[in-house]
Structures are given as C-alpha cells and as structure tokens.
Amino acid sequence: MIQSLLRALDLLEALKGPQKAFSVAELSESLDLPPSSIHRILQTLCAKDFVVKNNQTHLYQLGPALISLGTAATNQTKLQTVCQPVLAYLSECTGEDAFLMIRIGLRGLILAKAEGPNNLKVVDHFGYEQPLHVGAIRKVLLAYQSPEFLKHYLLNMEEHPSKLSIQTPEMLLKDLATIRKEGISISRSEYIQDAIGIGAPVFGSDGQMKASIGIIAPASRTIGKHFTDLKHDVMDSAEKLSYRLGYSLP
C-alpha cells in the first residue's frame, strides 16, 4: 500500500468530523502525524479542491470536488449490493441467519439475507412482509419514523395472526422510545415462539434511516454473555453498513 495515499485518506476521514473545520495542529494531534506532514498533504488536496482553506481563520475543511465524487458514488450504490458483505460478516460472527429489512408502507420486508451455519433455524421467509410492530428488526424501522407516521400507524395497527405480539399503543410507544434511546431492538417470542430477535438501524448519507439489520435465533442459543456479544455484533454491523452508505457516525 502507498503510505502517503493512506495518510491523505485518513486526513479526509478526519475532516468529516462534526467540527467541520480544523487547524493543522488539531489534525496533527488527531492523526498522530507531524504538522509538517499534515501541511504537505493539505497543500496537495487543496490544489485539487478536495480540501479548502479559510485564509482568515487558517482552518481547513472538505472541498467542493468531493461533492461530485460523492454524488457519483451514491448513484452507483445499491443497498442490496452493499449490504451483502456486512450480512455475511454478521452471520459469521453470530452463527445465525442475518437479515436486512426495509419499510414498505405499514409493513417490513426482508430485502436480503445471509444464512448462518446452524442447522436449527428460526424461519423467516425472504421477501415476506410483516407488520412493523412485530419482531425486533421490523420494530427498528418503526421506531425512527416521524410522529405523524407513528400516529397513522397506531390508528391502523393490524393484529398479527400468531396472537403472540399483543401490544397496546401505549406499550408500543414505550418500546419505540427505548429503541431510539439505546439504538437497538430486542424481541422475545413476538411472532415465533421461543425466538429472539435483535435489530439495529442503518442510516444513509443524509442521516435518515434506510433499513434495519439484525438476526433471529432460538432462545436457547442466546443465553448469558453470548446474548451481550450478539447485541454488540448487530450494532457493529449496523455501523459498518451505515458507513458504507456514506453515514458519518456521531
């Protein structure tokens, strides 16, 4: 690998931070590189408008040349394609089937799936739609909707045929608030008996939720410390996929 190019890419990543504009000293400290090295890289990036310098404040920020690159990358990025390596990673980490879901109206649809190695599985069919309040991975899709959408959903909430997921509007709103606060959703036997679901939100470059990712497993395989590890793996995968979609983590 070309070391100078890696340093330039690391510098661009640092400039994505919420502070937006940075001094040479701040970038030097952040990347653990000498100020002289940071300055040389910045000069090169400024020459191509990947970075711009404010001559009054002497601060640097991302430049306009990146806009066209980002737009081109966004147009070429397809959620189904981008998600496959992350789903495979999640399935490998957990040993369970991994799912990517999107919202279609008042229902959640399985858009993509990666098979885990375990023979004993909780079956959720590819392309199968369920109400958004049923199961952890779908409930994430509901948690991040607008207040207007939630009001409309509660007025039209359908009962699931399994009768396992029986929730009042008050219970559901409390669950959704917890999901938004913790960034993860957990369900237990909500529509499949003795099954545990774990889901987390996936965000796009505009900061809006685009999908949810997670796993479904028999309760017998989610005991103790392993359950904590499963939650970590799901959240980690959600961050990885969000990053691939251009989302800058807070």
Side-chain angles (χ1 to χ4, degrees), residues 49-170:
D49 287 332
F50 290 124
V51 173
V52 293
K53 178 184 178 182
N54 185 318
N55 290 322
Q56 292 182 326
T57 63
H58 300 289
L59 299 179
Y60 293 84
Q61 62 187 68
L62 297 177
L66 292 170
I67 296 174
S68 59
L69 286 178
T71 300
T74 300
N75 291 338
Q76 295 173 23
T77 297
K78 301 294 184 182
L79 181 58
Q80 259 182 305
T81 302
V82 172
C83 78
Q84 291 299 338
V86 181
L87 284 175
Y89 163 83
L90 178 57
S91 181
E92 181 180 353
C93 286
T94 62
E96 307 294 346
D97 291 355
F99 300 87
L100 184 82
M101 296 194 187
I102 60 171
R103 180 177 70 84
I104 302 293
L106 302 181
R107 290 172 164 257
L109 171 73
I110 298 175
L111 186 66
K113 177 181 177 181
E115 295 276 352
N118 287 306
N119 292 324
L120 177 61
K121 296 180 181 295
V122 174
V123 178
D124 202 343
H125 299 291
F126 179 80
Y128 188 48
E129 295 182 22
Q130 295 270 20
L132 288 170
H133 68 282
V134 177
I137 311 176
R138 291 180 177 88
K139 200 178 290 184
V140 170
L141 297 172
L142 186 58
Y144 289 85
Q145 299 300 321
S146 68
E148 293 77 18
F149 182 92
L150 291 178
K151 182 178 180 181
H152 173 70
Y153 188 87
L154 293 174
L155 290 173
N156 297 275
M157 189 166 63
E158 57 185 293
E159 186 177 293
H160 191 265
S162 71
K163 307 293 185 183
L164 292 173
S165 182
I166 301 175
Q167 289 185 304
T168 65
E170 293 75 19

Side-chain angles (χ1 to χ4, degrees), residues 206-237:
D206 58 359
Q208 300 298 308
M209 186 192 63
K210 302 300 180 185
S212 62
I213 191 171
I215 61 170
I216 305 173
S220 59
R221 289 205 297 261
T222 62
I223 298 172
K225 180 180 180 297
H226 184 55
F227 182 61
T228 301
D229 293 338
L230 292 176
K231 290 195 296 182
H232 174 271
D233 290 336
V234 169
M235 295 184 75
D236 184 43
S237 297

Side-chain angles (χ1 to χ4, degrees), residues 29-50:
E29 182 180 358
S30 174
L31 298 175
D32 195 23
L33 289 173
S36 58
S37 298
I38 294 293
H39 189 260
R40 285 196 301 271
I41 297 171
L42 286 170
Q43 282 185 313
T44 302
L45 294 173
C46 284
K48 290 293 186 179
D49 287 332
F50 290 124

